[in-house]
Each structure stands twice: as structure tokens, then as C-alpha cells.
Amino acid sequence: MKLKIGYQALINGAMAQIETVPLDQAQELLSNSDTVFVDIRDVRELEREGMIPNALHAPRGMLEFWVDPDSPYYKPIFGEGKRLVLYCASAWRSALATETLQKMGIPNVCHLEGGFSSWKKAGLPTVEKISKPHAS
């Protein structure tokens, strides 16, 4: 099967339209109260690999619903006007997600260069994902 456009072309197109924050700049943003790191990875990735301290977990499959005030799933943190730094494992999903949020009209959104794998490889701070106990 021949696709009209492949994943790499989608990522390249998104990268040309969005802001990518280098690791050193992202590390400085970590202590900025006007910045929210948004982890869009699957919960199993967070439990296995950890996450950036104080990051908000917003699963990729729910992101558009969480940022839209007209959605029944809206999360007010996305309407506070803070800078959003999206990240995933390798900066592929976050590039596509950042482009989508820009198209939706979300201001001040960018993504992390190289994703969480680059963050972790650089020895930058991480924390364990704390699992919430299941209701019995």
C-alpha cells in the first residue's frame, strides 16, 4: 500500500511549523511557574521510564479534548495562559501534537527537543510516576 503522506513527512511538516525547545533552555524552564511540561506518553511509558518533575500527564489520545473549553473533558490548566512544553519519548508525537494545538489556537505551545529519552540521557531530573491505587 502506498500512502499519500508518511509519518516522517508529517513530522517534518510539523517541525517546520512549531517551536522546539533545546534541552538546556527546557531545564531552565523547569523552575518557571508560568511553564507547564506536558507529558503526552502512554501511562505505561511513564510507569516504566519516569517523567519530568511536576509534569502534567495528558495522554496523546485525550489532548485535544482536554485543551478545548467546549469539550466535556476540558482541563482548566490549559486555559491559564501558561507556556506549554509538550514531550513524548522521541519528539515525534509531541511535534504532531504541538502542531495540532497551534492549529486549534492554543498560544505559547512548543515541544522538547529529542523528547524524554534525550532528557534522561542528558542526566536531567526525573521522577517516578506515582500509580494511583485502583478503587476496590
Side-chain angles (χ1 to χ4, degrees):
M1 174 179 70
K2 180 77 171 137
L3 298 174
K4 287 183 183 179
I5 184 169
Y7 80 96
Q8 195 62 61
L10 287 172
I11 293 167
N12 291 344
M15 294 289 274
Q17 301 298 319
I18 63 174
E19 178 187 357
T20 300
V21 176
L23 288 174
D24 57 343
Q25 186 182 340
Q27 184 180 12
E28 291 174 18
L29 291 171
L30 201 53
S31 60
N32 183 328
S33 62
D34 288 326
T35 300
V36 177
F37 282 77
V38 181
D39 192 323
I40 64 167
R41 296 174 299 153
D42 180 271
V43 68
R44 292 171 297 236
E45 293 175 275
L46 276 66
E47 290 169 352
R48 185 175 59 241
E49 300 288 330
M51 58 193 297
I52 292 174
N54 300 314
L56 170 70
H57 180 225
R60 177 65 190 100
M62 292 301 294
L63 190 61
E64 291 87 345
F65 303 102
W66 284 16
V67 302
D68 187 341
D70 293 333
S71 165
Y73 301 104
Y74 176 67
K75 302 285 185 201
I77 185 125
F78 290 106
E80 294 177 1
K82 295 185 179 196
R83 182 175 196 176
L84 303 176
V85 181
L86 276 56
Y87 71 92
C88 63
S90 302
W92 294 1
R93 289 172 285 178
S94 61
L96 297 175
T98 300
E99 181 185 39
T100 298
L101 295 190
Q102 273 186 190
K103 286 179 182 177
M104 291 177 75
I106 301 297
N108 214 5
V109 61
C110 57
H111 86 129
L112 179 64
E113 179 182 48
F116 186 72
S117 58
S118 291
W119 179 274
K120 201 169 181 178
K121 187 177 180 182
L124 296 172
T126 63
V127 295
E128 282 187 34
K129 162 76 171 135
I130 299 168
S131 298
K132 294 180 181 170
H134 296 285
S136 32

